[in-house]
Amino acid sequence: MSDLEILLDRLKTAQRDLILDAAKVPMLPPDSMLRRIADLENTIAAVEALIDEQRHARA
């Protein structure tokens, strides 16, 4: 597993944990939590794109 794939796994785990924590709150989660979830989503997409670029470069 590459360094980027390890990073991707950590990012997805962090995002999943935040989402699960948000689900436990009986109301809309705070803006700061929603922002962190969204920021993680953007970072996950960027890392996935980089992994995909590297795969195509090797092929």
Side-chain angles (χ1 to χ4, degrees):
M1 188 176 266
S2 75
D3 290 342
L4 286 174
E5 290 169 329
I6 293 168
L7 173 61
L8 182 60
D9 187 52
R10 286 194 316 248
L11 291 167
K12 286 181 176 182
T13 299
Q15 186 186 45
R16 185 179 314 110
D17 291 346
L18 277 173
I19 291 169
L20 291 173
D21 287 345
K24 293 175 187 173
V25 178
M27 62 186 101
L28 190 63
D31 287 343
S32 60
M33 183 179 276
L34 294 174
R35 207 169 305 119
R36 286 176 22 213
I37 293 169
D39 287 345
L40 282 166
E41 185 64 29
N42 288 334
T43 306
I44 288 167
V47 172
E48 287 175 334
L50 188 52
I51 289 171
D52 192 47
E53 285 177 21
Q54 287 185 344
R55 285 186 183 140
H56 283 93
R58 291 180 193 153

Coordinates of all heavy atoms in Angstrom, one line a residue:
M1 N 0.9 -1.2 0.0 CA 0.0 0.0 0.0 C 0.9 1.2 0.0 O 1.8 1.4 0.8 CB -0.9 0.0 1.2 CG -2.0 1.0 1.2 SD -3.1 0.9 2.6 CE -4.4 0.0 1.9
S2 N 0.6 2.2 -0.9 CA 1.4 3.4 -1.0 C 1.1 4.4 0.1 O 0.1 4.3 0.8 CB 1.2 4.0 -2.4 OG -0.1 4.7 -2.4
D3 N 2.0 5.3 0.2 CA 1.8 6.4 1.3 C 0.5 7.1 1.0 O -0.2 7.5 2.0 CB 3.0 7.4 1.2 CG 4.2 6.8 1.8 OD1 4.2 5.7 2.5 OD2 5.3 7.4 1.5
L4 N 0.2 7.4 -0.2 CA -1.1 8.1 -0.6 C -2.3 7.2 -0.2 O -3.3 7.8 0.3 CB -1.2 8.4 -2.0 CG -0.3 9.6 -2.5 CD1 -0.3 9.8 -4.0 CD2 -0.7 10.9 -1.8
E5 N -2.2 5.9 -0.4 CA -3.4 5.1 0.0 C -3.5 5.0 1.5 O -4.7 5.0 2.0 CB -3.2 3.7 -0.6 CG -3.3 3.7 -2.1 CD -2.9 2.4 -2.8 OE1 -2.0 1.7 -2.3 OE2 -3.5 2.0 -3.8
I6 N -2.4 5.0 2.2 CA -2.5 5.0 3.7 C -3.1 6.3 4.1 O -4.0 6.3 5.0 CB -1.1 4.8 4.3 CG1 -0.6 3.4 4.0 CG2 -1.1 5.1 5.8 CD1 0.9 3.2 4.2
L7 N -2.7 7.4 3.5 CA -3.3 8.7 3.9 C -4.8 8.7 3.6 O -5.6 9.2 4.4 CB -2.6 9.9 3.1 CG -3.2 11.3 3.2 CD1 -3.2 11.7 4.6 CD2 -2.5 12.2 2.3
L8 N -5.2 8.2 2.4 CA -6.6 8.2 2.0 C -7.4 7.4 3.0 O -8.5 7.8 3.4 CB -6.7 7.5 0.6 CG -8.1 7.4 0.0 CD1 -8.7 8.8 -0.1 CD2 -8.1 6.7 -1.3
D9 N -6.9 6.3 3.5 CA -7.6 5.5 4.5 C -7.7 6.2 5.8 O -8.8 6.2 6.4 CB -6.8 4.2 4.7 CG -7.5 3.2 5.6 OD1 -8.7 2.9 5.4 OD2 -6.9 2.8 6.6
R10 N -6.7 7.0 6.2 CA -6.8 7.8 7.5 C -7.9 8.9 7.3 O -8.6 9.1 8.2 CB -5.5 8.4 7.8 CG -4.5 7.4 8.4 CD -3.3 8.0 9.1 NE -2.8 9.1 8.3 CZ -1.6 9.1 7.7 NH1 -0.8 8.1 7.8 NH2 -1.2 10.2 7.0
L11 N -7.9 9.5 6.1 CA -8.8 10.6 5.9 C -10.3 10.1 5.9 O -11.1 10.7 6.5 CB -8.5 11.3 4.6 CG -7.2 12.1 4.5 CD1 -6.9 12.5 3.0 CD2 -7.4 13.4 5.3
K12 N -10.5 8.9 5.3 CA -11.8 8.4 5.2 C -12.3 7.9 6.6 O -13.4 8.1 7.0 CB -11.8 7.2 4.3 CG -11.8 7.6 2.8 CD -11.9 6.4 1.9 CE -12.0 6.8 0.4 NZ -12.1 5.6 -0.4
T13 N -11.4 7.4 7.4 CA -11.7 7.0 8.8 C -12.1 8.2 9.6 O -13.0 8.2 10.3 CB -10.5 6.2 9.4 OG1 -10.3 5.0 8.6 CG2 -10.8 5.8 10.8
A14 N -11.3 9.3 9.5 CA -11.6 10.5 10.2 C -12.9 11.0 9.8 O -13.7 11.5 10.7 CB -10.5 11.5 10.0
Q15 N -13.2 11.1 8.5 CA -14.5 11.6 8.1 C -15.6 10.7 8.6 O -16.7 11.2 9.0 CB -14.5 11.7 6.6 CG -15.8 12.4 6.1 CD -15.9 12.3 4.6 OE1 -15.6 11.3 3.9 NE2 -16.2 13.5 4.0
R16 N -15.5 9.4 8.5 CA -16.5 8.5 8.9 C -16.8 8.7 10.4 O -18.0 8.7 10.8 CB -16.1 7.0 8.7 CG -17.1 6.0 9.0 CD -16.7 4.6 8.7 NE -16.0 4.4 7.4 CZ -14.7 4.2 7.2 NH1 -13.9 4.0 8.2 NH2 -14.2 4.1 6.0
D17 N -15.7 8.8 11.2 CA -15.9 9.0 12.6 C -16.7 10.3 12.9 O -17.5 10.4 13.8 CB -14.6 9.1 13.4 CG -13.9 7.7 13.4 OD1 -14.5 6.7 13.1 OD2 -12.7 7.7 13.7
L18 N -16.4 11.4 12.2 CA -17.1 12.6 12.4 C -18.6 12.5 12.0 O -19.4 13.0 12.7 CB -16.4 13.7 11.5 CG -15.2 14.4 12.1 CD1 -14.6 15.4 11.1 CD2 -15.6 15.2 13.3
I19 N -18.8 11.8 10.9 CA -20.2 11.6 10.5 C -21.0 10.8 11.5 O -22.1 11.1 11.9 CB -20.3 11.0 9.1 CG1 -19.7 12.0 8.0 CG2 -21.7 10.5 8.8 CD1 -19.5 11.3 6.7
L20 N -20.4 9.8 12.1 CA -21.0 9.0 13.1 C -21.3 9.8 14.3 O -22.3 9.7 15.0 CB -20.2 7.7 13.4 CG -20.1 6.7 12.3 CD1 -19.2 5.6 12.6 CD2 -21.5 6.1 12.0
D21 N -20.3 10.6 14.7 CA -20.5 11.5 15.9 C -21.6 12.5 15.6 O -22.5 12.8 16.5 CB -19.2 12.3 16.2 CG -18.2 11.4 16.8 OD1 -18.5 10.3 17.3 OD2 -17.0 11.9 16.9
A22 N -21.7 13.0 14.4 CA -22.8 14.0 14.0 C -24.1 13.3 14.1 O -25.1 13.9 14.5 CB -22.5 14.6 12.6
A23 N -24.2 12.0 13.7 CA -25.5 11.3 13.7 C -26.0 11.1 15.2 O -27.2 11.0 15.3 CB -25.3 10.0 13.1
K24 N -25.1 11.1 16.1 CA -25.6 11.0 17.5 C -26.2 12.2 18.1 O -26.9 12.1 19.1 CB -24.3 10.6 18.4 CG -23.8 9.2 18.0 CD -22.5 8.9 18.8 CE -21.9 7.6 18.3 NZ -20.6 7.4 19.0
V25 N -26.0 13.3 17.5 CA -26.5 14.6 18.0 C -28.0 14.7 17.5 O -28.2 14.5 16.3 CB -25.7 15.8 17.4 CG1 -26.3 17.1 17.9 CG2 -24.2 15.7 17.9
P26 N -28.9 15.0 18.4 CA -30.3 15.0 18.1 C -30.7 16.2 17.2 O -31.9 16.3 16.9 CB -31.0 15.0 19.4 CG -30.1 15.6 20.4 CD -28.7 15.2 19.9
M27 N -29.8 17.1 16.9 CA -30.2 18.2 16.1 C -29.1 18.4 15.0 O -28.2 17.5 14.9 CB -30.2 19.5 16.9 CG -28.9 19.8 17.6 SD -29.1 21.2 18.7 CE -29.1 20.4 20.3
L28 N -29.2 19.4 14.2 CA -28.2 19.6 13.1 C -26.9 19.8 13.7 O -26.7 20.6 14.7 CB -28.6 20.8 12.3 CG -27.9 21.1 11.0 CD1 -28.1 20.0 10.0 CD2 -28.3 22.4 10.4
P29 N -25.9 19.1 13.2 CA -24.5 19.3 13.8 C -24.0 20.7 13.7 O -24.4 21.5 12.8 CB -23.6 18.3 13.0 CG -24.6 17.5 12.3 CD -25.9 18.2 12.1
P30 N -23.1 21.1 14.6 CA -22.6 22.5 14.5 C -21.9 22.7 13.1 O -21.4 21.8 12.5 CB -21.6 22.5 15.6 CG -21.6 21.2 16.3 CD -22.5 20.3 15.6
D31 N -21.9 24.0 12.7 CA -21.2 24.4 11.5 C -19.8 23.9 11.4 O -19.3 23.5 10.4 CB -21.3 25.9 11.3 CG -22.7 26.3 10.9 OD1 -23.5 25.5 10.5 OD2 -22.9 27.5 11.0
S32 N -19.1 24.0 12.5 CA -17.7 23.6 12.5 C -17.5 22.1 12.2 O -16.6 21.8 11.5 CB -17.0 23.9 13.9 OG -17.7 23.2 14.9
M33 N -18.4 21.3 12.7 CA -18.3 19.9 12.4 C -18.6 19.6 10.9 O -18.0 18.9 10.2 CB -19.2 19.1 13.3 CG -19.2 17.6 13.0 SD -20.3 16.6 14.1 CE -19.2 16.5 15.6
L34 N -19.7 20.3 10.4 CA -20.0 20.2 9.0 C -18.9 20.6 8.1 O -18.6 20.0 7.1 CB -21.3 20.9 8.7 CG -22.6 20.4 9.4 CD1 -23.7 21.4 9.1 CD2 -22.9 19.0 8.9
R35 N -18.2 21.7 8.5 CA -17.1 22.2 7.7 C -15.9 21.2 7.7 O -15.3 21.0 6.7 CB -16.7 23.6 8.3 CG -16.0 24.5 7.3 CD -15.8 25.9 7.9 NE -17.0 26.5 8.4 CZ -17.3 26.8 9.6 NH1 -16.4 26.8 10.5 NH2 -18.5 27.3 10.0
R36 N -15.7 20.6 8.8 CA -14.6 19.6 8.9 C -14.9 18.4 8.0 O -14.0 17.9 7.3 CB -14.3 19.2 10.3 CG -13.6 20.3 11.1 CD -13.4 20.0 12.6 NE -13.4 18.7 13.0 CZ -13.8 18.3 14.3 NH1 -14.2 19.2 15.1 NH2 -13.7 17.0 14.6
I37 N -16.2 18.0 8.0 CA -16.6 16.9 7.2 C -16.4 17.2 5.7 O -15.9 16.5 4.9 CB -18.0 16.4 7.5 CG1 -18.1 15.8 8.9 CG2 -18.6 15.5 6.4 CD1 -19.5 15.6 9.4
A38 N -16.8 18.4 5.3 CA -16.7 18.9 3.9 C -15.2 19.1 3.6 O -14.8 18.7 2.4 CB -17.4 20.2 3.8
D39 N -14.4 19.6 4.4 CA -13.0 19.8 4.2 C -12.3 18.4 3.9 O -11.5 18.2 3.0 CB -12.3 20.5 5.3 CG -12.6 22.0 5.4 OD1 -13.1 22.5 4.4 OD2 -12.3 22.6 6.4
L40 N -12.7 17.4 4.7 CA -12.2 16.1 4.6 C -12.6 15.5 3.2 O -11.8 14.9 2.5 CB -12.6 15.2 5.7 CG -11.8 15.3 7.0 CD1 -12.5 14.7 8.1 CD2 -10.4 14.8 6.9
E41 N -13.8 15.8 2.8 CA -14.3 15.3 1.5 C -13.5 15.9 0.4 O -13.2 15.1 -0.6 CB -15.8 15.6 1.4 CG -16.4 15.1 0.1 CD -16.5 13.5 0.1 OE1 -16.5 12.9 1.1 OE2 -16.4 13.0 -1.0
N42 N -13.2 17.1 0.5 CA -12.4 17.8 -0.6 C -11.0 17.2 -0.6 O -10.4 17.0 -1.7 CB -12.3 19.3 -0.4 CG -13.6 20.0 -0.7 OD1 -14.4 19.5 -1.5 ND2 -13.9 21.1 0.0
T43 N -10.4 17.0 0.5 CA -9.1 16.4 0.6 C -9.1 15.0 0.1 O -8.2 14.5 -0.6 CB -8.6 16.5 2.1 OG1 -8.7 17.8 2.5 CG2 -7.1 16.0 2.1
I44 N -10.1 14.2 0.5 CA -10.2 12.8 0.0 C -10.3 12.8 -1.6 O -9.6 12.0 -2.2 CB -11.5 12.1 0.6 CG1 -11.2 11.8 2.1 CG2 -11.8 10.9 -0.2 CD1 -12.5 11.4 2.8
A45 N -11.1 13.7 -2.1 CA -11.2 13.8 -3.6 C -9.8 14.1 -4.2 O -9.5 13.6 -5.3 CB -12.2 14.8 -4.0
A46 N -9.1 15.0 -3.6 CA -7.8 15.4 -4.1 C -6.8 14.3 -4.1 O -6.1 14.0 -5.1 CB -7.3 16.6 -3.4
V47 N -6.8 13.5 -3.0 CA -5.9 12.4 -2.9 C -6.2 11.3 -3.8 O -5.4 10.7 -4.5 CB -5.8 11.9 -1.4 CG1 -5.0 10.6 -1.3 CG2 -5.3 13.0 -0.5
E48 N -7.6 11.1 -4.0 CA -8.0 10.0 -5.0 C -7.6 10.4 -6.4 O -7.1 9.6 -7.2 CB -9.5 9.8 -4.9 CG -9.9 9.1 -3.6 CD -11.4 9.0 -3.5 OE1 -12.2 9.9 -4.0 OE2 -11.9 8.1 -2.8
A49 N -7.7 11.7 -6.7 CA -7.3 12.2 -8.0 C -5.8 12.0 -8.3 O -5.4 11.6 -9.3 CB -7.7 13.6 -8.2
L50 N -5.0 12.3 -7.2 CA -3.6 12.1 -7.3 C -3.2 10.6 -7.5 O -2.3 10.3 -8.3 CB -2.9 12.7 -6.1 CG -1.4 12.8 -6.1 CD1 -0.9 13.5 -7.4 CD2 -0.9 13.5 -4.9
I51 N -3.9 9.8 -6.8 CA -3.6 8.3 -6.9 C -4.0 7.9 -8.3 O -3.2 7.1 -8.9 CB -4.4 7.5 -5.8 CG1 -3.9 7.8 -4.4 CG2 -4.5 6.0 -6.2 CD1 -4.7 7.2 -3.3
D52 N -5.1 8.3 -8.8 CA -5.5 8.0 -10.2 C -4.5 8.5 -11.2 O -4.2 7.8 -12.2 CB -6.9 8.6 -10.5 CG -7.5 8.0 -11.7 OD1 -7.5 6.8 -11.9 OD2 -8.0 8.8 -12.5
E53 N -4.0 9.7 -11.0 CA -3.0 10.3 -11.9 C -1.7 9.4 -11.9 O -1.2 9.1 -13.0 CB -2.6 11.7 -11.5 CG -3.6 12.7 -11.9 CD -3.2 14.1 -11.4 OE1 -2.0 14.3 -11.1 OE2 -4.1 14.9 -11.2
Q54 N -1.3 9.0 -10.8 CA -0.1 8.2 -10.7 C -0.3 6.8 -11.3 O 0.6 6.3 -12.0 CB 0.3 8.0 -9.2 CG 0.9 9.2 -8.6 CD 1.4 9.0 -7.2 OE1 1.1 8.0 -6.6 NE2 2.3 9.9 -6.7
R55 N -1.5 6.2 -11.2 CA -1.8 5.0 -11.8 C -1.7 5.1 -13.4 O -1.2 4.2 -14.0 CB -3.1 4.4 -11.4 CG -3.1 3.8 -10.0 CD -4.5 3.2 -9.7 NE -4.4 2.7 -8.3 CZ -5.4 2.8 -7.4 NH1 -6.6 3.3 -7.8 NH2 -5.3 2.4 -6.2
H56 N -2.3 6.2 -13.9 CA -2.3 6.4 -15.3 C -0.8 6.7 -15.8 O -0.5 6.3 -17.0 CB -3.2 7.5 -15.7 CG -4.6 7.1 -15.7 ND1 -5.5 7.2 -14.6 CD2 -5.4 6.4 -16.7 CE1 -6.6 6.7 -14.9 NE2 -6.7 6.3 -16.1
A57 N -0.1 7.3 -15.0 CA 1.3 7.7 -15.4 C 2.2 6.4 -15.5 O 3.1 6.3 -16.3 CB 1.9 8.6 -14.5
R58 N 1.9 5.4 -14.7 CA 2.6 4.2 -14.7 C 2.2 3.3 -15.8 O 3.0 2.4 -16.3 CB 2.4 3.4 -13.3 CG 3.1 4.1 -12.2 CD 2.8 3.3 -10.9 NE 3.1 4.1 -9.7 CZ 2.6 4.0 -8.6 NH1 1.7 3.0 -8.4 NH2 3.0 4.7 -7.6
A59 N 1.0 3.4 -16.3 CA 0.5 2.5 -17.3 C 1.0 2.9 -18.7 O 1.7 3.8 -19.0 CB -1.0 2.6 -17.4

